[in-house]
Amino acid sequence: MKRPHRGLEKASRVALLAKFTGIFRRSYGIVDVHAARELVGKGAVLLDVRSLPEWDSGHASDAYHLPLHEVLESGLDVAAGRPVVAICRSGGRSASAARMLSRQGVESYSVRGGMGAWRRAGLEITPPH
């Protein structure tokens, strides 16, 4: 049996998909460590969302520590109207933090590769405590 309105059905699906793609679009940016440094140099907050033991093992010297589980509660206070560049060990938790903050209206970014990439790039890290 031939489907006479196949083109129309396809156009409807495309229109529907186009209407709702915004809900699937990423609401935060992903940056490499060099772009992260540049953003921080322009006034963004570098937010380290790792655990305290990870933080104590060494962190970017100008980072602010706020474990991921505290981002919803205190992230807006830390941002204080500035963009936020979130960093973690490898990029997963920082993406979650950036997503949470962007949903609260904060311009936010996640650092691709996290502190591992930061170290490999030779960027400044405080010595372990």
Side-chain angles (χ1 to χ4, degrees):
M1 174 182 231
K2 188 175 179 181
R3 298 178 70 184
H5 301 291
R6 185 171 181 201
L8 182 59
E9 289 174 5
K10 183 176 181 182
S12 295
R13 285 193 309 268
V14 170
L16 185 62
L17 182 62
K19 180 178 177 180
F20 290 104
T21 52
I23 63 173
F24 299 111
R25 200 176 349 208
R26 188 173 30 242
S27 57
Y28 60 93
I30 297 178
V31 295
D32 66 18
V33 294
H34 302 293
R37 288 292 318 141
E38 186 176 322
L39 286 164
V40 171
K42 292 178 179 179
V45 176
L46 182 60
L47 184 64
D48 191 321
V49 297
R50 297 177 299 158
S51 68
L52 184 58
E54 289 173 302
W55 167 264
D56 287 343
S57 72
H59 55 272
S61 59
D62 49 358
Y64 184 90
H65 183 233
L66 186 67
L68 180 61
H69 67 275
E70 296 178 20
V71 168
L72 274 178
E73 181 180 316
S74 304
L76 286 176
D77 295 333
V78 172
R82 299 184 294 166
V84 171
V85 178
I87 192 166
C88 64
R89 182 180 55 81
S90 63
R93 287 174 286 176
S94 61
S96 294
R99 185 179 313 107
M100 284 186 251
L101 290 168
S102 72
R103 288 180 179 162
Q104 294 181 350
V106 176
E107 178 183 344
S108 55
Y109 303 88
S110 175
V111 177
R112 181 185 298 115
M115 285 302 296
W118 196 273
R119 282 186 175 92
R120 287 188 299 278
L123 297 174
E124 185 178 348
I125 297 176
T126 63
H129 295 116

